[in-house]
Amino acid sequence: MSEGKSTPENPWPVRTVARKLLDWINRLGDVWVEGQVTQLNARSSTAFLTLRDPSVDMSMSITCNAGMIRELQLNEGSRVIVHGKISFYPNRGTLSLRADEIRAVGIGELLARIERLRKLLHAEGLFDPRRKRRPPFLPNKIGLITGRASAAERDVLTNARNRWPAAHFRVINVAVQGPMAVTQVITALSTLDRDPECDVIIIARGGGSVEDLLPFSDEALCRAVSACRTPVLSAIGHEPDTPLVDHVADVRCSTPTDAGKRVVPDVAEESERVRQMRDRGRRALHGWVDRERKLLDALRSRPVLSDPYGPLDRRAEEVNRLRDQCRRAVTQRLDREDVHLSGTKARLTTLGPAATLARGYAVVQLVTPDGPDGVLRSVTDAPSGTQLRVRVVDGAVGAVVTSAEGGGTDDA
């Protein structure tokens, strides 16, 4: 019967699916695979081991001749390159890679790969100082990713709490070497990055060999640190150790002890700084008060403030003096004018007709219709029929009027 396409009405039996898988896997041929050795068992002539991808949680079974394991002196955690062919066992439904050649990845090759990855990440800008963030001065909560009960954990916690006793940590213990390290560190990093109370994250590990520190030069971990929104401090190994995560992290600490000192301020130093600033503020305030007091004293010592009524009194005296001077000047002027007026009046009185009349004399001018006609020396000299009139004003002769008979009267 033709197999055709599997349907609910025409399902394939297990043997058909197993046979198809076996045919497809046989067409795959031999492959080269790189990974990290875990769960090694080489007690019999056939060795069984698990080859794990250090960047993700994936692995596969490997079978090989036990002599190959003993010759290369492989152990758990070794990086290897395996050549073989994948076998499918239909009876158990399992896959296994039958290895016919195993090559250990040497230190030189590992360092060369790290250098190539370093250049790649640098070209992508993951090492750019401009993208690095400054950790907070005093974080609310500090995330710590490190090995369980490790010296690195103790160094970070002890030094941080010695500097700032109130420092609050959230510690996540992970594998810091071996095939599980990268996956666990990335998971812990994602957990702490999602914590809204966590203000800074420390990745700490003590010193070790190049192989031990390989997880911290993994590309997946470096990209996870670069994508983290929370500032990350890297404290891996000792001062000479520089895994790639040191270049990607926001702050590189030489050791876990250095990380504990840099993540929080020193309470003694800050207390001393506060005391110094308080003293500076006190001195500045006292200096300002002293300057203002001296200014007030100088203003208060001025005459206008020390004797506010004195200037008014002096101005009042000056006004009185000027008023008296004005009064005297006006009085003197009036007196002079009065004397002058009296003299003028006396001269007028002396020269006026009233004085002449008072002595019994008068000057009479004859005025005819044709005009003045001389002065009469006596009444008898006046023409007959002429009337003489004398007008006296204010006790003096104002005018002498003469007219012919029947003529008019003119004021002289």
Side-chain angles (χ1 to χ4, degrees):
M1 182 178 66
S2 176
E3 295 176 355
K5 185 178 181 179
S6 63
T7 63
E9 292 77 17
N10 184 27
W12 287 348
V14 174
R15 64 180 179 275
T16 300
V17 176
R19 188 175 65 252
K20 288 182 176 292
L21 286 174
L22 181 60
D23 293 342
W24 185 88
I25 291 172
N26 288 334
R27 288 196 301 271
L28 179 63
D30 55 348
V31 293
W32 287 94
V33 183
E34 181 184 359
Q36 197 165 16
V37 176
T38 60
Q39 300 179 3
L40 177 62
N41 185 357
R43 296 178 181 177
S44 61
S45 59
T46 301
F48 301 91
L49 56 95
T50 299
L51 194 65
R52 182 181 180 84
D53 191 318
S55 299
V56 295
D57 190 12
M58 293 184 182
S59 60
M60 65 182 306
S61 298
I62 305 291
T63 59
C64 65
N65 190 295
M68 299 170 60
I69 302 297
R70 287 190 290 270
E71 181 181 355
L72 294 175
Q73 298 182 353
L74 297 181
N75 50 39
E76 293 187 2
S78 299
R79 296 287 291 268
V80 295
I81 299 176
V82 179
H83 179 266
K85 187 175 182 180
I86 297 178
S87 300
F88 177 68
Y89 300 95
N91 294 337
R92 300 190 303 269
T94 59
L95 291 171
S96 179
L97 177 66
R98 180 65 184 181
D100 54 23
E101 183 179 355
I102 299 178
R103 298 179 183 179
V105 179
I107 298 299
E109 177 64 20
L110 292 175
L111 294 178
R113 294 182 182 182
I114 292 175
E115 180 62 21
R116 289 194 295 269
L117 180 58
R118 187 191 68 80
K119 293 180 179 179
L120 173 64
L121 298 179
H122 184 272
E124 293 182 8
L126 270 65
F127 299 168
D128 191 347
R130 292 174 296 182
R131 58 165 296 276
K132 298 182 183 297
R133 294 150 297 184
R134 182 187 299 273
F137 173 74
L138 184 60
N140 179 45
K141 181 189 289 186
I142 304 168
L144 176 59
I145 302 173
T146 186
R148 184 181 303 277
S150 61
E153 178 181 1
R154 183 177 61 255
D155 289 345
V156 172
L157 296 179
T158 300
N159 285 278
R161 286 170 176 161
N162 285 341
R163 290 171 61 85
W164 196 269
H168 181 51
F169 282 86
R170 181 182 177 182
V171 181
I172 298 181
N173 296 120
V174 297
V176 291
Q177 68 183 58
M180 302 295 295
V182 175
T183 304
Q184 292 186 11
V185 171
I186 292 176
T187 302
L189 188 67
S190 176
T191 301
L192 293 176
D193 192 31
R194 291 194 304 268
D195 188 348
E197 296 182 356
C198 190
D199 296 332
V200 66
I201 300 173
I202 300 175
I203 303 176
R205 188 205 189 283
S209 63
V210 176
E211 296 89 338
D212 293 338
L213 300 181
L214 278 178
F216 300 99
S217 292
D218 186 85
E219 181 178 0
L221 178 57
C222 290
R223 295 189 182 279
V225 171
S226 175
C228 192
R229 295 172 299 178
T230 307
V232 177
L233 276 68
S234 174
I236 308 301
H238 301 300
E239 177 64 32
D241 299 322
T242 55
L244 295 183
V245 74
D246 280 354
H247 301 289
V248 181
D250 297 288
V251 177
R252 176 189 180 270
C253 302
S254 57
T255 61
T257 299
D258 184 39
K261 293 179 179 180
R262 298 179 67 171
V263 74
V264 292
D266 188 349
V267 66
E269 293 178 0
E270 297 305 318
S271 298
E272 177 64 19
R273 185 176 292 110
V274 170
R275 187 191 64 79
Q276 293 176 358
M277 295 180 67
R278 187 169 57 240
D279 292 342
R280 289 174 56 188
R282 184 184 298 110
R283 290 193 298 269
L285 181 59
H286 288 174
W288 178 80
V289 171
D290 291 340
R291 289 194 301 272
E292 295 300 320
R293 181 182 292 113
K294 291 178 181 178
L295 177 61
L296 290 176
D297 292 341
L299 292 174
R300 194 165 49 234
S301 64
R302 293 182 178 180
V304 69
L305 293 179
S306 61
D307 183 18
Y309 293 104
L312 296 177
D313 294 339
R314 289 191 294 273
R315 294 299 180 185
E317 294 175 356
E318 185 177 359
V319 169
N320 293 333
R321 179 177 56 80
L322 294 175
R323 186 174 56 194
D324 293 341
Q325 290 180 358
C326 290
R327 184 181 293 111
R328 289 194 297 271
V330 172
T331 302
Q332 292 174 359
R333 181 64 180 270
L334 292 176
D335 292 342
R336 288 197 300 271
E337 295 299 328
D338 186 62
V339 171
H340 180 69
L341 184 59
S342 298
T344 303
K345 183 179 179 181
R347 288 196 300 273
L348 289 176
T349 302
T350 303
L351 298 175
T356 303
L357 293 174
R359 294 196 300 270
Y361 299 97
V363 178
V364 180
Q365 185 179 21
L366 177 63
V367 179
T368 64
D370 296 330
D373 190 16
V375 177
L376 298 179
R377 296 184 178 276
S378 67
V379 178
T380 59
D381 292 338
S384 61
T386 300
Q387 297 180 354
L388 300 177
R389 294 180 182 179
V390 178
R391 178 178 295 174
V392 180
V393 181
D394 294 334
V397 177
V400 178
V401 181
T402 63
S403 63
E405 192 175 317
T409 304
D410 293 327
D411 293 336

